[in-house]
Amino acid sequence: MPYFRQKIGMIILIGVLVAALSFVILVVKEKKYKVSTDFLIVRNQTGNQDYYSLTKSAEYLGKVLGESIYSELFIGEVIKTGKVGEEFLSFDKGARVRDWNKIISVKRGPELGIFSVEVTGDNQKNTIRISQAIADVLVNSNKIFLGENQNVEIKVLTGPITENNPELETIALVLVGGMILGVLFGFIWVFFRNEINYRTEGYYNQEESARKPEIVDEYEESLRYLNEK
């Protein structure tokens, strides 16, 4: 423990460096803006359907829509709205879907017909347009993905709301997590360095102890030689 107390400054410094590196990676990796919109799936009652079955049905339809948003078909419908140009994504189909999935995130409420769509980008106006186009498709063209006879409405609950990205909460979590990880790494590094130094010193001490009898014998032999002279 005394050794760790001596190295506490170095351990804290490592924690600060890892936290700073984590922050830089987060800022470089993340887009500048995030636009989020919340949607509600309204399943109109037909026949003898009860509230529970309507809720479960809305939950299922939310999952279907949530997965459909990542598809190439949905991208095509977004472009058809005219709110965004076709060139905002790659013309290669595979690259287009990959790029789309990088800027889109769908979050669903547990056991509720509510879901949120987040769009991230470096250009605020373009990011808002993409979010508006997604809302247009979900509200007006959802039958393409759910079928004609579902008797379903998609309504916008909130949004689109534009925020700076990453959020302060995310930055705080990354800094704290980086600091904790750095401190743990510092403790491990100091521990192993101490172990290596201890074993190295022990090896030399053992070697020196093993040589002491030889030194004594050489000294005694030298004395006998001088006495004989």
Side-chain angles (χ1 to χ4, degrees), residues 96-211:
R96 170 176 290 200
V97 173
R98 286 194 297 270
D99 293 343
W100 177 257
N101 290 344
K102 289 178 182 178
I103 64 173
I104 300 297
S105 176
V106 180
K107 298 179 180 179
R108 292 185 294 270
E111 299 182 0
L112 293 173
I114 298 175
F115 63 98
S116 175
V117 180
E118 294 181 353
V119 184
T120 57
D122 291 323
N123 185 294
Q124 186 176 6
K125 290 183 179 180
N126 289 342
T127 307
I128 293 174
R129 290 194 189 102
I130 294 171
S131 182
Q132 291 172 340
I134 291 173
D136 191 339
V137 174
L138 290 174
V139 172
N140 300 314
S141 304
N142 57 76
K143 291 181 180 180
I144 297 174
F145 308 97
L146 300 179
E148 291 290 338
N149 301 317
Q150 291 295 334
N151 200 19
V152 172
E153 292 182 72
I154 308 295
K155 296 185 178 181
V156 176
L157 285 179
T158 308
I161 297 175
T162 305
E163 299 174 296
N164 291 327
N165 193 50
E167 299 174 342
L168 291 177
E169 293 83 356
T170 303
I171 294 174
L173 286 174
V174 168
L175 289 175
V176 172
M179 185 71 181
I180 294 173
L181 183 63
V183 169
L184 289 175
F185 175 78
F187 269 110
I188 294 172
W189 181 75
V190 169
F191 173 78
F192 279 106
R193 186 177 179 183
N194 184 40
E195 282 292 309
I196 292 171
N197 291 339
Y198 176 77
R199 293 186 180 185
T200 303
E201 290 175 2
Y203 171 78
Y204 283 118
N205 289 336
Q206 289 178 0
E207 190 177 52
E208 186 176 347
S209 299
R211 289 188 58 193

Side-chain angles (χ1 to χ4, degrees), residues 39-44 49-66 108-115 146 150-154:
F39 298 92
L40 172 67
I41 300 175
V42 180
R43 184 72 188 270
N44 297 319
Q49 286 183 306
D50 57 15
Y51 178 77
Y52 177 78
S53 61
L54 288 173
T55 302
K56 299 303 290 184
S57 176
E59 179 188 350
Y60 169 75
L61 294 175
K63 292 179 180 179
V64 173
L65 279 176
R108 292 185 294 270
E111 299 182 0
L112 293 173
I114 298 175
F115 63 98
L146 300 179
Q150 291 295 334
N151 200 19
V152 172
E153 292 182 72
I154 308 295

